[in-house]
């Protein structure tokens, strides 16, 4: 696990890395390309092996690492399961808010159910922490729920990453759910419909990508107003400070529950 500058969590934990969504603003891919290099591990050496997957996988290959390597991203941004990291939460006794798979989409269509189940099981072995999951493929939550594979633990929070109000998100009456509107690329308001999630995070795109969109202040105000109307906690990331002004609203839903 690693300490992080992501404001809404204490640590990041990446038992799986890599993604095939191809988002043009992806920070994780940029980090991988900057600090990683590709290798072709021989499965016979016992630390790396490969697993064939379906047509939705562009590279048609998933990778599994059973022992730590000198490079955190030996297969670049290909989906990679770092099995040797599964016990990391157990080593930390102090409770943490852990962002699971900040360098991947654990619920992408290209990730096997078995990987997800092993990550869930690792979380269950360290119940002192709060686990925050995030995906751009919320349909996978529904698929897993129908299979009985989506845990309903109170310390699990299932989030959907969206960029505007047209992007579907996952919510449930019996699970903790949240929406991460980052990067905020357009006006976001739900009109007469209520925000159906327990928490909303919003942030602007960072970096120097050509064509980067700077959110308007009224977009942020709409999000705050909708959250207030729905009585939902809202967290504005520091990337919005120069637009919205300070102090930023940075609320945590579990703290709101404890105040009641």
């Amino acid at each position: 696990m690693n300490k992080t500058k992501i404001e809404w969590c204490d640590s990041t934990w990446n038992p799986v890395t890599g993604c095939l969504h191809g988002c043009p603003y992806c920070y994780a891919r940029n980090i991988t390309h900057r600090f990683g290099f590709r290798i072709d591990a021989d499965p016979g050496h016992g630390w790396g092996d490969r697993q064939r997957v379906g047509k939705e996988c562009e590279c048609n290959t998933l990778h599994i690492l059973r022992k730590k390597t000198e490079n955190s991203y030996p297969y670049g941004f290909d989906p990679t399961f770092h099995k040797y990291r599964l016990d990391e939460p157990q080593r930390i006794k102090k409770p943490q808010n852990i962002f699971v798979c900040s360098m991947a989409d654990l619920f992408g269509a290209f990730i096997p159910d078995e990987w997800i189940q092993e990550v869930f099981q690792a979380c269950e072995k360290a119940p002192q922490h709060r686990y925050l999951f995030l995906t751009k493929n919320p349909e996978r939550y529904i698929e897993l729920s129908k299979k009985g594979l989506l845990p309903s633990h109170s310390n699990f929070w299932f989030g959907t990453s969206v960029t505007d109000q047209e992007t579907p998100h996952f919510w449930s009456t019996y699970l903790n759910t949240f929406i991460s509107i980052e990067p905020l690329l357009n006006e976001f308001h739900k009109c007469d419909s209520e925000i159906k999630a327990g928490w909303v995070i919003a942030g602007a795109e960072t970096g120097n990508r050509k064509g980067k969109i700077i959110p308007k202040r009224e977009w942020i105000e709409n999000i705050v107003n909708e959250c207030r109307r729905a009585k939902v906690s809202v967290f504005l990331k520091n990337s919005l400070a120069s637009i919205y002004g300070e102090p930023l609203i940075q609320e945590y839903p579990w703290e709101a529950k404890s105040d009641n």
Side-chain angles (χ1 to χ4, degrees):
M1 294 202 317
N2 298 306
K3 292 183 178 180
T4 179
K5 294 182 180 180
I6 300 173
E7 305 96 295
W8 47 268
C9 63
D10 300 313
S11 304
T12 58
W13 172 47
N14 284 284
V16 175
T17 59
C19 182
L20 300 177
H21 290 319
C23 302
Y25 45 78
C26 181
Y27 71 89
R29 185 194 302 109
N30 292 338
I31 291 174
T32 301
H33 288 172
R34 182 179 179 184
F35 296 104
F37 63 87
R38 294 187 59 87
I39 62 173
D40 291 318
D42 180 357
H45 291 169
W47 62 268
D49 53 37
R50 299 182 176 187
Q51 185 175 31
R52 303 297 289 184
V53 295
K55 294 181 179 179
E56 71 273 16
C57 178
E58 295 175 3
C59 63
N60 208 35
T61 304
L62 296 178
H63 306 277
I64 301 175
L65 291 176
R66 303 184 185 279
K67 294 183 181 180
K68 187 175 182 179
T69 71
E70 293 182 2
N71 179 9
S72 296
Y73 314 108
Y75 295 109
F77 211 46
D78 288 356
T80 304
F81 190 9
H82 304 257
K83 280 181 171 283
Y84 61 91
R85 294 178 179 170
L86 286 175
D87 65 344
E88 290 181 350
Q90 299 176 59
R91 301 178 192 172
I92 309 297
K93 301 305 180 184
K94 183 180 179 180
Q96 304 272 307
N97 295 319
I98 301 175
F99 180 10
V100 182
C101 294
S102 63
M103 294 293 294
D105 190 335
L106 181 63
F107 302 94
F110 38 83
I111 300 296
D113 284 357
E114 292 74 17
W115 290 18
I116 300 173
Q117 286 181 275
E118 289 196 53
V119 172
F120 285 160
Q121 290 166 4
C123 296
E124 292 168 345
K125 291 178 181 178
Q128 68 271 27
H129 304 305
R130 182 177 290 109
Y131 298 97
L132 307 167
F133 303 93
L134 194 58
T135 184
K136 295 185 73 68
N137 182 37
E139 293 84 1
R140 190 66 178 279
Y141 289 145
I142 299 173
E143 294 174 5
L144 291 169
S145 181
K146 289 180 178 179
K147 296 176 182 179
L149 300 179
L150 197 65
S152 58
H153 305 311
S154 61
N155 62 331
F156 282 32
W157 282 77
F158 298 101
T160 305
S161 178
V162 305
T163 56
D164 55 46
Q165 68 179 31
E166 304 303 323
T167 310
H169 67 271
F170 174 76
W171 68 277
S172 169
T173 57
Y174 64 94
L175 297 171
N176 295 320
T177 62
F178 67 100
I179 306 170
S180 176
I181 312 171
E182 186 186 12
L184 177 57
L185 300 182
N186 210 327
E187 188 172 11
F188 190 98
H189 60 84
K190 302 303 289 185
C191 299
D192 294 329
S193 63
E194 186 174 294
I195 293 176
K196 294 179 178 179
W199 191 26
V200 173
I201 301 168
E205 180 180 354
T206 57
N208 300 311
R209 182 180 70 90
K210 184 178 180 180
K212 181 175 69 174
I213 295 175
I214 307 298
K216 297 180 180 179
R217 192 178 196 280
E218 51 264 37
W219 297 358
I220 308 169
E221 291 175 340
N222 283 342
I223 293 172
V224 172
N225 291 337
E226 292 293 336
C227 288
R228 292 289 178 259
R229 190 175 298 114
K231 297 182 179 179
V232 171
S233 299
V234 61
F235 191 105
L236 302 182
K237 295 190 67 175
N238 295 345
S239 57
L240 297 175
S242 62
I243 305 168
Y244 186 80
E246 298 185 273
L248 290 168
I249 303 170
Q250 295 187 329
E251 301 169 338
Y252 297 92
W254 43 87
E255 293 180 355
K257 289 181 180 180
S258 63
D259 292 338
N260 293 335

